[in-house]
Amino acid sequence: MKSFENNAFFWQKMDTLFLSSQLVVSKKKGEVHPLYNNLIYPVDYGYLSNTQSEGNNICVYKGSLASDRVNSVIVAVDILKKDLDTKLITGCTEAEEEEVLRFLNQTDFQKTIIVRRGVELPSWALTD
């Protein structure tokens, strides 16, 4: 089976989606979640305008670094909502990414994983 892990074309399309949309920050770092008072946003949180993901806009966690690309993708499963969701991460340090994961994994009902952008080029992208 051919591996498509960290496929450069996937990340290229992800960056195009990110750069062609406006990031709207709806919750600033340190704000309390509107429904769960014990949850405090570890970084800025918002969405990409004019995008779609399961009927909503694509959600984004924005860290402290200036960035014009998507660094990682979070995949979340929620057994209460019976929902699978993806969220983008941009401009986060490694420590901020870990904080986002802790923030999203606080309940027994929702668990998340992170897919980080690779820095290595696949063998098919190398030239002599």
Side-chain angles (χ1 to χ4, degrees):
M1 184 167 139
K2 189 173 182 176
S3 173
F4 287 98
E5 232 178 292
N6 280 313
N7 184 307
F9 292 128
F10 171 82
W11 293 106
Q12 177 190 46
K13 297 301 181 203
M14 190 67 71
D15 289 341
T16 300
L17 177 68
F18 180 72
L19 290 170
S20 65
S21 304
Q22 180 185 358
L23 174 59
V24 178
V25 175
S26 56
K27 300 289 181 225
K28 292 295 230 173
K29 176 181 178 176
E31 284 189 34
V32 176
H33 190 282
L35 299 176
Y36 307 103
N37 293 334
N38 61 322
L39 299 179
I40 298 172
Y41 287 90
V43 297
D44 290 348
Y45 175 77
Y47 60 90
L48 296 178
S49 63
N50 299 316
T51 61
Q52 285 193 92
S53 178
E54 299 298 316
N56 297 310
N57 293 110
I58 296 172
C59 297
V60 179
Y61 286 92
K62 164 88 175 73
S64 60
L65 304 174
S67 181
D68 59 357
R69 66 185 223 164
V70 176
N71 303 100
S72 305
V73 175
I74 291 220
V75 180
V77 62
D78 187 320
I79 59 172
L80 282 182
K81 293 182 192 175
K82 294 189 176 184
D83 181 42
L84 183 66
D85 192 18
T86 56
K87 300 170 189 310
L88 309 183
I89 293 183
T90 185
C92 284
T93 64
E94 195 171 316
E96 288 173 328
E97 283 187 350
E98 294 299 323
E99 289 179 46
V100 170
L101 280 175
R102 276 194 296 282
F103 172 75
L104 293 171
N105 283 301
Q106 290 184 52
T107 74
D108 289 333
F109 306 110
Q110 176 177 283
K111 294 301 173 194
T112 63
I113 62 167
I114 190 166
V115 179
R116 290 186 172 96
R117 183 182 203 130
V119 294
E120 65 284 340
L121 289 175
S123 60
W124 51 264
L126 301 175
T127 60
D128 292 336

